[in-house]
Amino acid sequence: MSQSNTVTVHILDKEYCIACPADERSNLESAARYLDGKMREIRGSGKVVGADRIAVMAALNITHDLLHKQQRLDREASSTREQVRDLLDRVDHALATDQDGARG
């Protein structure tokens, strides 16, 4: 079991101390850098003012991206399942044809 440590991350010029298992530290730091970058992009656009609003917009943008990627993965998984079923049907047909030919 991983021991929890405190990790300090910087997001939009603020420091946050977050409890995190040692084996997740790298992922947390990457997530914080990613979020910081998204928030800086939004702040830099000048269209959104205030850290709370910037955080909400960043969360919405990241969630939007995540959901679209998940939908794409679901479509790809469905397509892959169909391809596997088609291949299995072809193999079954080939084996059945081969067995019929071996009997005749």
Side-chain angles (χ1 to χ4, degrees):
M1 182 180 269
S2 301
Q3 186 177 3
S4 236
N5 296 315
T6 300
V7 177
T8 301
V9 296
H10 295 86
I11 300 172
L12 206 62
D13 305 323
K14 290 192 179 184
E15 190 173 277
Y16 298 89
C17 295
I18 302 168
C20 177
D23 60 341
E24 289 294 322
R25 179 184 181 112
S26 177
N27 288 335
L28 174 62
E29 290 171 338
S30 292
R33 279 191 302 275
Y34 185 79
L35 177 58
D36 181 62
K38 288 293 185 183
M39 289 178 71
R40 286 180 186 282
E41 273 179 38
I42 292 167
R43 183 176 69 180
S45 75
K47 295 178 183 177
V48 181
V49 178
D52 289 350
R53 290 179 182 269
I54 291 170
V56 169
M57 290 305 298
L60 285 171
N61 288 337
I62 291 168
T63 303
H64 178 266
D65 291 346
L66 174 68
L67 291 175
H68 274 288
K69 287 179 181 177
Q70 186 61 52
Q71 289 171 347
R72 190 191 82 232
L73 287 174
D74 289 347
R75 283 192 304 271
E76 289 173 2
S78 178
S79 174
T80 300
R81 278 192 296 275
E82 288 176 27
Q83 290 173 347
V84 168
R85 274 191 221 111
D86 182 50
L87 289 171
L88 287 173
D89 287 346
R90 288 172 155 184
V91 167
D92 287 344
H93 183 263
L95 289 174
T97 303
D98 188 46
Q99 286 178 350
D100 289 343
R103 284 186 228 165

